[in-house]
Amino acid sequence: MFFPTFRARRIRGKEVFRRMVSETTLSATDLIYPMFSAFGKGIRKEISSMPGIYQQSIEHIVEEAQEVHELGVPAVILFGIPETKDAVGSDAYAEHGIIQETIRAIKKQVPGLAVITDVCMCEYTDHGHCGIIRDGDVDNDETLELLAREALSHAEAGADMVAPSDMMDGRVMAIREILDNHGYKHIPLMSYAVKYASGYYGPFREAAESTPQFGDRRSYQMDPGNRREAIREARMDVEEGADIIMVKPGLPYLDIVRDLREEFDLPVAVYNVSGEYSMIKAAGRAGWIDEERVMMETLISFKRAGADLILTYHAKEAARVLKRG
């Protein structure tokens, strides 16, 4: 059919029709809100490169968790800033570590909110890398043991889901085995299956205080030019027992989100990372864009590409927009 027999604008002419035929929709239940829990009391420190996002001590984390829950966002994902860091990231798997105590506090005060935990070592090591350093690089197999201990400690503290982000080979299997062997077969695992070595993580490193003290993470995170490798990485994690597979970052890798959606029937998540958030915030504050409109357009792009879940620092703002209708 061609003009004038077919007129696409007939349906676009009224808001009611546009909504009725919308191919992709966004809901607050699609969103997961990242939070940064800091050791201490009375802490609520705004991250300079991420307006509206804070490092917070546990009492403030709980307050914001309640707000998130009331907005209809179903889950948060926790990152920790411990009191002290060391070469082996001891606080990551300590019984009373910062994340373990944060989990307990949220589950006590906001039991209806799902608590997901990031499982990695970079926030807890004094060198800022994601595992044990041997000969100037991360030792893959030695790190697996600590990641498994960390995930188990999160489950024991009451986490609803664990999410390994380290990109060590075999970490999904190691975590699945230790959880299953300790009575946590019911705890799902969301794997950062496809995580690229990206410049978009800069603001997060300020937030989590996790900048590497030497080198970079390209020996374990993926090359931004690789597409076929993403399928291999995701397939390994699926075969090892992942329940959800994630792509990180989001906007530069929408093609990868689509590839995973077409290749696998598991839920697909995407991380709308700190650099993506900060660019929208900066441009909005400068008056260069309509911040709210661009935020919502960005989030719908992830759904259109095939993501089921979106980890985003915009979660609270987006939920408010969605409530307005």
Side-chain angles (χ1 to χ4, degrees):
M1 295 188 295
F2 298 97
F3 176 84
T5 304
F6 175 71
R7 292 178 181 266
R9 291 184 59 188
R10 289 185 185 126
I11 296 299
R12 297 179 194 149
K14 291 185 180 292
E15 172 67 16
V16 63
F17 293 149
R18 291 196 296 271
R19 290 191 178 194
M20 287 170 64
V21 301
S22 177
E23 297 176 26
T24 308
T25 58
L26 179 71
S27 166
T29 57
D30 301 325
L31 308 177
I32 298 169
Y33 184 57
M35 305 180 78
F36 298 93
S37 186
F39 178 86
K41 297 284 187 181
I43 298 169
R44 195 167 189 267
K45 177 184 175 184
E46 188 171 33
I47 298 155
S48 64
S49 56
M50 300 177 69
I53 304 299
Y54 297 83
Q55 291 181 348
Q56 300 179 96
S57 48
I58 291 176
E59 75 275 17
H60 292 303
I61 285 280
V62 169
E63 291 173 2
E64 190 174 26
Q66 182 65 53
E67 179 187 9
V68 169
H69 182 54
E70 290 172 357
L71 285 168
V73 175
V76 297
I77 183 166
L78 299 179
F79 301 88
I81 299 95
E83 180 181 18
T84 58
K85 303 187 180 194
D86 58 32
V88 294
S90 301
D91 197 271
Y93 41 87
E95 181 182 356
H96 297 289
I98 182 60
I99 288 300
Q100 291 78 359
E101 291 300 309
T102 306
I103 296 165
R104 295 183 183 102
I106 294 176
K107 294 309 296 183
K108 180 180 180 180
Q109 299 296 324
V110 198
L113 183 69
V115 175
I116 305 168
T117 58
D118 178 78
V119 177
C120 194
M121 306 300 295
C122 64
E123 301 141 61
Y124 308 97
T125 56
D126 53 15
H127 47 73
H129 279 283
C130 298
I132 302 299
I133 299 297
R134 300 289 182 225
D135 300 320
D137 197 5
V138 176
D139 184 292
N140 190 96
D141 294 5
E142 192 173 355
T143 298
L144 294 182
E145 298 179 21
L146 299 188
L147 294 169
R149 287 177 61 187
E150 180 181 7
L152 178 60
S153 74
H154 293 174
E156 290 173 337
D160 297 292
M161 181 186 293
V162 296
S165 64
D166 55 283
M167 288 300 284
M168 296 300 116
D169 293 333
R171 87 269 204 218
V172 171
M173 181 181 295
I175 292 170
R176 187 71 271 161
E177 285 182 352
I178 198 169
L179 292 178
D180 289 357
N181 291 339
H182 286 79
Y184 294 99
K185 294 180 180 180
H186 62 287
I187 298 293
L189 192 155
M190 176 169 64
S191 170
Y192 290 65
V194 181
K195 182 178 179 180
Y196 286 91
S198 172
Y200 282 85
Y201 303 147
F204 175 91
R205 291 175 180 176
E206 177 193 351
E209 300 180 5
S210 61
T211 302
Q213 298 304 298
F214 62 88
D216 55 40
R217 295 175 177 146
R218 286 183 287 184
S219 74
Y220 45 101
Q221 294 178 359
M222 286 178 52
D223 185 325
N226 289 4
R227 184 174 183 178
R228 294 189 300 272
E229 184 184 14
I231 300 298
R232 294 198 299 273
E233 284 280 1
R235 182 171 290 116
M236 283 195 297
D237 287 3
V238 170
E239 291 176 353
E240 290 177 17
D243 300 286
I244 301 170
I245 49 178
M246 187 199 301
V247 176
K248 181 182 181 183
L251 276 177
Y253 301 97
L254 292 177
D255 59 325
I256 307 302
V257 175
R258 171 52 58 182
D259 287 347
L260 264 60
R261 175 70 291 142
E262 293 179 349
E263 185 72 22
F264 303 101
D265 58 7
L266 290 181
V268 173
V270 64
Y271 203 137
N272 177 210
V273 299
S274 59
E276 300 166 34
Y277 173 87
S278 296
M279 289 191 298
I280 289 177
K281 283 292 179 183
R285 290 192 168 195
W288 297 336
I289 60 170
D290 179 333
E291 181 183 320
E292 183 178 290
R293 183 175 178 181
V294 171
M295 171 186 71
M296 298 305 288
E297 188 174 340
T298 297
L299 296 176
I300 203 71
S301 77
F302 298 131
K303 291 295 298 293
R304 192 181 64 247
D308 302 290
L309 302 170
I310 305 167
L311 289 75
T312 179
Y313 303 97
H314 294 293
K316 292 196 303 178
E317 297 169 278
R320 292 189 184 101
V321 173
L322 292 165
K323 274 196 170 186
R324 290 204 315 258

